[in-house]
Amino acid sequence: MGNTKKAGGAGLRGQSAGETKLCTVGKIGAGLTYRGYDVDDLATHATFYETAYLILHGKLPNQTELDAYKKKINALRGLPEAVKKTLELIPRTAHPMDVMRTGCSILGNVEGETDFSQQLDKADRLVAIFPSIICYWYKFVTEGVRIETASDIDGVGAHFLEMLHGKAPSELHARVMDVSLILYAEHEFNASTFTGRVVASTLSDIHSCVTASIGALRGPLHGGANEAAMALIEQWSSAEEAEAAIGEMLRTKQLIMGFGHAVYTERDPRNAIIKRWSEKLAEEVGDTVLYPVSCAVEKKMWDEKKLFPNADFFHASAYHFMGIPTELFTPIFVMSRVTGWTAHVMEQRENNRIIRPNADYTGPDTRKVGPIEERD
Ligand SMILES: CC(=O)SCCNC(=O)CCNC(=O)[C@H](O)C(C)(C)COP(=O)(O)OP(=O)(O)OC[C@H]1O[C@@H](n2cnc3c(N)ncnc32)[C@H](O)[C@@H]1OP(=O)(O)O
Ligand SMILES: O=C([O-])CC(=O)C(=O)O
């Protein structure tokens, strides 16, 4: 897939496609709240379990609810045999996002949603199981081992790191993963969520909705940008080199991955948060290249184009510093955004009408089918 520059078309930009109570970036795209709570506040004072509960269950949990929720999620981490067998058939050459998509789809076959009354339990199961799906496959194809995915470890992100690295993460890494999952959890009518809502609007099942959302998130203009941002920054060995290269890329009208946004105009509020954590991790690993390169790219992009990093950009260095392979970056986005996707599916179902906009037709006028021998 190439460096896809904007290909034209209005992309429905600036138009409302419906209502939601779940999240807003504000009227002018300047902030981010989940059910009224600022994302910065959540990233400072809450955990991903609390955020997931808020998004899916409608309120921040009290202590009793939180304890029960953690217990529930942690007990849902095991993989059914059919899912394991399917994952083992997927080759090493597959993109991990395709593994997530297939994992979700096969789960829908073996424990599908047969009644919408099951939707909340199905959503919780997906929150719990995505780290298991990706790590089971990854460890199988890279090391030939069948890992145990059941665990009592506290934290969805910590569970992922525990399976990936074969040991419990440090407190710092567990916290960074938790913050990352909070930041990625929900973002109103972004492309992958809107995809899921369209599927939900046909009264399809929740696994079909999420499988479709994963397909939409995979692209480099959306969730795939965190991997593309890593490929960008790891090319350079100094801030000066990066600055010069970005200047040249802008002159030749190339897209700089991890920058720009469809609804924010001056900044993505998630950037400052993940940037701070990336800096902390850079200090921890003694990095003198990747973080300064990232900062140089940020400065150059603002100075030259007034373009700012979106949520994906500093996630690249942060994940890298925690020893996460680049190809697993976008699957982490899935582990988090599944909360937003499934909450939107439920919201769509509450007051459903099939989503079916009009198209402005630009093709030829009506014409007759001529005999085949007279056609060009
Ligand atoms: C979590 C997320 O999904 S956030 C998004 C992640 N995606 C990326 O990081 C990919 C890179 N960014 C982009 O492709 C775009 O900025 C998008 C897809 C995020 C938003 O696209 P749009 O809303 O169409 O962008 P927008 O209309 O604001 O673009 C305005 C101008 O800035 C340019 N521009 C926007 N982003 C970038 C960029 N990252 N690099 C270079 N130029 C850019 C556009 O090409 C356009 O230039 P033009 O007027 O000469 O055609
Ligand atoms: O809202 C968007 O277009 C993309 C985005 O930032 C997200 O989904 O988190």
Side-chain angles (χ1 to χ4, degrees):
M1 257 170 277
N3 191 357
T4 323
K5 190 89 175 69
K6 191 163 71 176
L12 298 177
R13 199 71 73 260
Q15 296 176 39
S16 171
E19 295 181 351
T20 182
K21 291 189 187 67
L22 292 167
C23 166
T24 183
V25 297
K27 286 224 172 359
I28 53 161
L32 175 60
T33 57
Y34 303 162
R35 293 192 189 274
Y37 296 97
D38 192 281
V39 73
D40 204 352
D41 201 5
L42 288 166
T44 309
H45 297 115
T47 62
F48 179 62
Y49 287 115
E50 290 168 272
T51 306
Y53 190 95
L54 168 72
I55 292 171
L56 286 167
H57 297 250
K59 69 183 275 286
L60 278 173
N62 61 32
Q63 192 62 55
T64 313
E65 288 164 336
L66 180 60
D67 293 346
Y69 190 57
K70 276 190 191 182
K71 214 167 153 193
K72 178 181 181 189
I73 295 291
N74 297 357
L76 290 172
R77 289 169 166 166
L79 296 173
E81 277 310 307
V83 174
K84 289 185 191 170
K85 283 207 177 95
T86 305
L87 293 172
E88 288 176 21
L89 290 172
I90 305 176
R92 171 70 185 106
T93 48
H95 190 283
M97 281 298 276
D98 298 341
V99 177
M100 296 297 261
R101 195 187 58 213
T102 299
C104 183
S105 186
I106 184 67
L107 193 70
N109 282 289
V110 297
E111 45 182 75
E113 185 190 32
T114 50
D115 188 299
F116 287 174
S117 66
Q118 302 163 345
Q119 60 184 6
L120 208 42
D121 285 337
K122 297 297 173 190
D124 286 340
R125 171 69 158 151
L126 286 167
V127 172
I129 207 173
F130 273 132
S132 305
I133 287 176
I134 198 59
C135 289
Y136 185 88
W137 173 79
Y138 189 74
K139 290 298 211 180
F140 184 77
V141 294
T142 57
E143 295 172 23
V145 293
R146 293 183 169 90
I147 58 162
E148 178 53 69
T149 62
S151 166
D152 287 335
I153 196 165
D154 191 31
V156 172
H159 180 222
F160 167 74
L161 289 179
E162 179 185 53
M163 289 183 289
L164 180 66
H165 296 316
K167 60 179 182 3
S170 66
E171 213 176 292
L172 173 65
H173 290 195
R175 181 65 192 146
V176 178
M177 277 304 293
D178 209 57
V179 169
S180 166
L181 297 180
I182 292 170
L183 298 182
Y184 272 145
E186 166 50 5
H187 217 244
E188 44 122 293
F189 282 10
N190 62 86
S192 55
T193 301
F194 193 64
T195 300
R197 279 192 87 125
V198 171
V199 180
S201 83
T202 70
L203 299 183
S204 189
D205 67 289
I206 202 163
H207 296 88
S208 294
C209 299
V210 174
T211 303
S213 292
I214 294 170
L217 188 73
R218 183 192 195 288
L221 296 190
H222 191 10
N226 56 14
E227 292 177 23
M230 186 66 214
L232 180 83
I233 57 179
E234 69 186 351
Q235 300 173 77
W236 302 307
S237 49
S238 71
E240 295 71 29
E241 200 188 319
E243 198 188 319
I246 288 289
E248 184 52 25
M249 287 177 80
L250 289 176
R251 262 187 298 285
T252 52
K253 299 240 173 284
Q254 293 185 54
L255 208 48
I256 312 298
M257 306 315 279
F259 281 81
H261 203 275
V263 292
Y264 295 122
T265 50
E266 287 188 356
R267 65 185 188 100
D268 180 332
R270 300 165 293 185
N271 175 55
I273 303 168
I274 195 61
K275 183 180 173 185
R276 275 198 300 277
W277 287 105
S278 175
E279 185 179 14
K280 212 180 243 306
L281 291 167
E283 276 165 25
E284 186 199 46
V285 299
D287 166 75
T288 54
V289 177
L290 216 51
Y291 185 76
V293 158
S294 303
C295 293
V297 175
E298 179 182 30
K299 184 171 183 317
K300 184 76 174 169
M301 287 296 284
W302 184 256
D303 291 348
E304 295 261 319
K305 290 275 284 182
K306 293 286 169 279
L307 280 170
F308 50 86
N310 56 50
D312 283 329
F313 188 66
F314 277 96
H315 261 108
S317 49
Y319 288 162
H320 182 82
F321 295 144
M322 290 190 287
I324 301 172
T326 305
E327 64 186 309
L328 301 186
F329 289 4
T330 319
I332 300 174
F333 200 151
V334 174
M335 292 172 208
S336 163
R337 185 57 59 87
V338 66
T339 55
W341 290 336
T342 49
H344 276 274
V345 167
M346 294 190 271
E347 189 176 57
Q348 180 66 33
R349 288 172 175 176
E350 269 169 28
N351 184 20
N352 188 57
R353 190 170 188 199
I354 192 165
I355 297 173
R356 202 307 186 185
N358 291 345
D360 294 325
Y361 180 64
T362 57
D365 289 340
T366 309
R367 47 192 170 161
K368 292 280 183 216
V369 178
I372 196 159
E373 58 283 4
E374 288 174 19
R375 297 180 206 159
D376 296 341

